[in-house]
Amino acid sequence: MKNIPKMSLTSLFLIIVMIVTAGCSSTEKASSTNHSKLITDDSKPYVGFLLDTLKDERWYKDKALFEEEIKKLGGQVKTLAANGLDEVQIKQAQLLIEEGVDVLVVVPHDAVISAEIVEIAHEAGVKVVSYDRLIKNADVDYYISFDNEKVGEIQATEILKKVPNGNFAYIGGAESDNNAILFRQGAMKVLQPLIDNGTVKLVHDQYTDDWNPDIAKENMKTALSKNGNAINAVIAANDGTAGGVIESLAGVGLAGTVPVSGQDAELEGVRRVVQGLQTMTVYKPINLLAVKSAEMAIMVAKGEEVKTDKQINNGKIDVPAVFLDPIAITNENVRDTVIKDGYLNEADVFK
């Protein structure tokens, strides 16, 4: 018997997705011109929601809130998550278009590769809303997110309140995610003048592949090692990377003594804030983002005009955009923000 080569889980998953897609009979597939809806009430707007991943806690919240609001507004929605695989996300977009979606709302895995989703959608007459993360180099119809440069500004400002000078490390998110670039740009707006006058020394500056906390942990280990553990403050791009950073700090006895930023107000991140291990996180009220995005999606699906007051250049066009305001969360205002809003439960936070 010949040896059969082993197949990776990723390859197997891609094959399954392609089989499912290819297996749709001709009677099931929608024409790119008439968009007959296969699994929905044809009288209701049909929204496709493409998520990068459901590995992170926050995206479960986005999914639940967005779907609930779409249904409240009289629409129907189908959500697919690509688990960080670009080929899968593109294939999922094709599947939803074939099923007759009126609009695609996309959280891209890779800001550049996902431009193909926009091309495919527009060929079929389907508009695309870029959700929270900007799709680059494409004719995106709308973008909705928080002011992500402001997120970085808030992170740097809060850390400087604790440590106004010294050796700083920046542990960013995934460079393939445009938000990670915007977070860093915002932080550098605050830090650069201090770096220029010598008040702050940026001794380590590194993005983190796939926002992976384990990689962030290794990046922080490198920063500590090459600086003899002499790191006075860390700006971490989100709560996941902050968790990895804090693990590395704990390994050299510095957890709780070196200020560390975060973002997303994830439960574990907020717990670390109240425990004194993490200095702050950034709360982006996902309920507001989900509701506003759902409203936009339904309007686009119905062919109605969406009013925006901002634009953001994605490398190809100035995309009509809506920006929402992020909020700094510290030990002092946890109860008045994420708990008061019902975003997190007090008993869980102070467990």
Side-chain angles (χ1 to χ4, degrees), residues 283-294:
Y283 175 38
K284 301 185 298 185
I286 293 172
N287 57 337
L288 181 60
L289 175 62
V291 167
K292 293 296 183 183
S293 299

Side-chain angles (χ1 to χ4, degrees), residues 153-166 168 187 190-191 194 199-200 233 235 259 279:
E153 292 174 21
I154 290 172
Q155 290 173 325
T157 299
E158 291 297 323
I159 292 300
L160 286 167
K161 289 178 182 179
K162 299 294 183 181
V163 178
N165 52 57
F168 280 48
V190 176
L191 293 179
L194 300 175
T199 301
V200 167
I235 298 174
T279 305

Side-chain angles (χ1 to χ4, degrees), residues 212-239:
N212 189 320
D214 291 331
I215 296 175
K217 180 180 178 179
E218 293 304 312
N219 290 346
M220 191 61 209
K221 278 185 178 179
T222 300
L224 289 164
S225 176
K226 75 179 186 180
N227 291 283
N229 295 343
I231 303 290
N232 302 111
V234 182
I235 298 174
N238 75 341
D239 290 338

Side-chain angles (χ1 to χ4, degrees), residues 112-159:
V112 175
I113 294 174
S114 58
E116 185 175 343
I117 293 173
V118 180
E119 293 176 12
I120 294 167
H122 283 181
E123 286 175 2
V126 175
K127 290 190 175 182
V128 177
V129 176
S130 195
Y131 180 106
D132 198 44
R133 298 176 181 172
L134 181 63
I135 298 173
K136 301 279 284 184
N137 303 327
D139 295 314
V140 181
D141 296 285
Y142 297 99
Y143 174 54
I144 182 165
S145 184
F146 290 87
D147 187 333
N148 291 309
E149 280 201 10
K150 189 172 181 179
V151 169
E153 292 174 21
I154 290 172
Q155 290 173 325
T157 299
E158 291 297 323
I159 292 300

Side-chain angles (χ1 to χ4, degrees), residues 83-113:
N83 296 319
L85 300 173
D86 294 306
E87 303 97 320
V88 171
Q89 191 164 52
I90 291 167
K91 185 62 67 175
Q92 289 173 339
Q94 292 172 328
L95 179 63
L96 288 174
I97 291 166
E98 288 168 353
E99 289 183 349
V101 292
D102 296 301
V103 60
L104 280 179
V105 180
V106 182
V107 181
H109 171 251
D110 185 288
V112 175
I113 294 174

